[in-house]
Amino acid sequence: MNKRISMLFTIAAVAVVGATLFGSTYTNTQIGGSSYDFSKADVEVLDKIRQMGGLQLVMPQAFAETDCGVLENSGRTVHDFQLTGESHEMPLLNGATYSAMTFSGQVPGPTLRVTQGDVVKMTLTIPSDEMVGHGNDMHASQITAGAFESVNPGESTTYCYIAEAAGIFKYHCSGVKLAAMDQHVLSGMYGIAIVDPANGYKKLMVEKTSGSGELDRKFYDADALEFQLQYNQLYLTDAGTYDMSKMMVHQQSATVVNGMQFGYVPNMAHNLLVNGDPAKKISAVLQARDGLDLEQVQGQLLFVENDQHVRIFIENQGNEPVFFHIVGEILDRVTQGNRVQSAATETWLLGGSQGMIVDLVFDEPGVYAAVNHDYAAIYSGAVTVFVAGDPFNLNPIVEELGMDAVPSYAYVLGNPSDAVPPMGLNSIAHPAVNIHGMYTDEVVSQLKADGAIPLWEVVPELAGPITDAMKALGRI
Ligand SMILES: [Cu+2]
């Protein structure tokens, strides 16, 4: 097929598809003849598209109903997802701050969780004292890009859509009519929507070998203890403002997981529990967020039980690839959309704006580090420590304190709030949740009111009894 004929074929195919899509709304006259000679008639084609109102304005009407009034009365479950666009100074690892842009005072923004087929009613409000406008492009939607137009300070906008595809989907600020979108996203305006499959998640199958070497299959119920991890970068000037020139050459100032460098590493509370002394560090290298005075941005760990189905929702929000790997573990199942991509794999690659669901079971008690297996990312912040079971033999201390032995330390310390997604179709409730995240003080107050534990207040009260219990056991 020569080039000219190929071009004619393409235009004709577009016209046929267009006729199918627009059939109910547009006449054949509007979609034109069956083929165009592109070399001569390109101006005519563009004119026709213009007469149709432009592809961007016309096509989405053919794909999905997006009228809020209709969708709200469609009998589907409707989720009212309200966000505000706010700029705040947020803390960096070195004690300085940076100019963050946030959805609702937190980085990442609140996680939306719905079931496939539900209606999302998204409202974005920009306070009148905010310096610039913001938008929200939700990848879980299939609606006109025009809906993601920026909202001016003092104004609010709403759009509705049906979450038709299951999976994990990014949402992000679209800047001011696309201008500075990179700055807004890389300064913190991103989050995820989790769309649970209409029929729920599948059981997890893990292959095991018997003592004689024969293959066996072990099945875990679909219900799982769930976490969320979102990877991104910061590109900053020395003054803590966005540095586009660094972004253009991919030289990140920091790699962040859920908005924080080294956010999930031990701190002095863990030193106390494990070593009997808040000053005796568990890890000299990793312990960068050590100090109760850091409050919601102190280091916290993720606690799981052994032989428990764990599901992790992972999104690459950033500008660099993520080579997701858990040191000491194998990813038992990798799902993208609602399709299994791999099983029993060591590492899975996520490009920018890609997500996945990792299902796994931690078989042995121990400490496991989830990393972006890119050394620049590891050493600039992408280390997340999971602790499975009771590797430090703390249960005797727990019992000495008058409590029952625990299958994971989450029962004592809780899991960090920013790593815990909202409950979904097959979620196991976390035993407790502690307050951890790149949050404004207003968000912290709300979490406290909702029952999350401020560890920086609780740990000092427990320090004396824990020390006494360790002494009684002869540990210190
Ligand atoms: Cu923005």
Side-chain angles (χ1 to χ4, degrees):
M1 198 184 282
N2 69 36
K3 199 174 178 187
R4 184 164 168 270
I5 293 171
S6 166
M7 192 66 82
L8 281 168
F9 177 79
T10 306
I11 296 294
V14 167
V16 170
V17 172
T20 310
L21 292 176
F22 303 136
S24 59
T25 317
Y26 295 95
T27 65
N28 281 331
T29 321
Q30 280 175 298
I31 58 167
S34 58
S35 67
Y36 297 99
D37 183 339
F38 195 76
S39 64
K40 293 176 187 166
D42 53 341
V43 175
E44 210 176 304
V45 171
L46 292 174
D47 270 351
K48 279 206 180 294
I49 291 170
R50 235 175 261 127
Q51 284 162 18
M52 286 163 57
L55 288 176
Q56 190 182 11
L57 291 173
V58 174
M59 286 176 67
Q61 302 296 331
F63 287 118
E65 179 60 68
T66 58
D67 183 285
C68 280
V70 173
L71 289 181
E72 280 184 288
N73 296 311
S74 62
R76 294 169 187 262
T77 302
V78 179
H79 298 265
D80 197 6
F81 189 47
Q82 304 214 14
L83 297 171
T84 53
E86 313 166 15
S87 295
H88 294 281
E89 285 294 306
M90 288 289 196
L92 290 167
L93 199 55
N94 63 8
T97 62
Y98 76 102
S99 305
M101 291 180 170
T102 78
F103 282 112
S104 303
Q106 62 178 82
V107 180
T111 294
L112 171 69
R113 186 146 192 190
V114 305
T115 302
Q116 190 176 14
D118 288 352
V119 170
V120 176
K121 182 182 183 187
M122 197 294 307
T123 300
L124 175 62
T125 302
I126 312 301
S128 51
D129 61 353
E130 177 68 8
M131 292 297 286
V132 294
H134 301 282
N136 184 15
D137 172 354
M138 297 200 74
H139 291 197
S141 69
Q142 296 173 83
I143 56 176
T144 172
F148 311 138
E149 272 283 297
S150 58
V151 186
N152 294 321
E155 294 177 7
S156 181
T157 195
T158 299
Y159 59 72
C160 291
Y161 64 91
I162 301 168
E164 290 284 14
I168 168 173
F169 298 92
K170 172 183 183 134
Y171 70 81
H172 65 95
C173 181
S174 43
V176 182
K177 296 185 190 302
L178 299 182
M181 178 166 61
D182 57 320
Q183 176 185 4
H184 290 224
V185 176
L186 295 166
S187 299
M189 295 193 84
Y190 57 89
I192 52 169
I194 298 169
V195 182
D196 291 331
N199 298 323
Y201 292 92
K202 295 183 175 64
K203 283 181 183 177
L204 175 63
M205 188 273 286
V206 182
E207 269 189 348
K208 295 287 177 194
T209 51
S210 70
S212 59
E214 284 184 13
L215 273 181
D216 195 9
R217 289 177 165 183
K218 189 163 183 185
F219 287 89
Y220 291 85
D221 188 84
D223 291 356
L225 189 77
E226 297 172 325
F227 295 92
Q228 56 186 6
L229 299 175
Q230 301 180 49
Y231 289 80
N232 208 343
Q233 296 84 39
L234 290 172
Y235 300 90
L236 299 173
T237 63
D238 289 344
T241 54
Y242 178 65
D243 189 336
M244 188 180 184
S245 63
K246 282 187 181 163
M247 183 278 291
M248 294 298 281
V249 294
H250 292 258
Q251 287 182 346
Q252 72 265 40
S253 311
T255 300
V256 292
V257 181
N258 293 343
M260 242 185 263
Q261 272 180 291
F262 300 110
Y264 305 100
V265 293
N267 73 14
M268 59 197 298
H270 309 112
N271 298 343
L272 173 67
L273 278 168
V274 175
N275 293 329
D277 182 350
K280 205 170 167 188
K281 291 193 175 191
I282 295 169
S283 166
V285 176
L286 282 179
Q287 239 155 302
R289 293 186 172 271
D290 201 16
L292 298 181
D293 56 325
L294 295 174
E295 301 192 344
Q296 67 265 31
V297 295
Q298 65 185 292
Q300 294 297 354
L301 302 172
L302 308 177
F303 300 123
V304 300
E305 298 175 23
N306 287 125
D307 206 33
Q308 178 178 45
H309 183 176
V310 174
R311 184 182 295 122
I312 315 174
F313 298 97
I314 303 160
E315 180 75 26
N316 183 358
Q317 300 280 5
N319 213 26
E320 305 288 338
V322 172
F323 312 117
F324 185 80
H325 174 74
I326 302 180
V327 179
E329 259 302 338
I330 281 174
L331 313 180
D332 290 323
R333 185 172 72 196
V334 174
T335 305
Q336 290 179 304
N338 194 19
R339 300 287 185 271
V340 173
Q341 301 296 323
S342 185
T345 195
E346 58 174 319
T347 300
W348 201 254
L349 168 65
L350 292 179
S353 180
Q354 261 192 312
M356 67 173 169
I357 300 167
V358 167
D359 290 89
L360 80 162
V361 174
F362 292 87
D363 298 301
E364 297 291 326
V367 178
Y368 302 85
V371 297
N372 177 355
H373 215 299
D374 163 325
Y375 297 99
I378 292 175
Y379 287 102
S380 60
V383 179
T384 299
V385 178
F386 284 87
V387 178
D390 181 14
F392 300 117
N393 192 26
L394 299 185
N395 267 326
I397 299 167
V398 171
E399 287 173 317
E400 185 72 22
L401 288 167
M403 295 181 279
D404 290 334
V406 292
S408 91
Y409 303 146
Y411 290 81
V412 181
L413 296 173
N415 271 320
S417 53
D418 57 347
V420 175
M423 295 281 283
L425 276 186
N426 293 105
S427 306
I428 293 174
H430 286 256
V433 173
N434 66 55
I435 301 174
H436 179 266
M438 198 55 78
Y439 298 143
T440 60
D441 290 342
E442 288 70 30
V443 174
V444 169
S445 300
Q446 186 57 52
L447 283 164
K448 266 190 205 176
D450 293 343
I453 307 165
L455 279 180
W456 59 93
E457 292 174 9
V458 174
V459 167
E461 290 173 24
L462 290 176
I466 288 169
T467 307
D468 291 344
M470 292 181 105
K471 280 180 182 161
L473 290 167
R475 297 257 183 120
I476 53 173

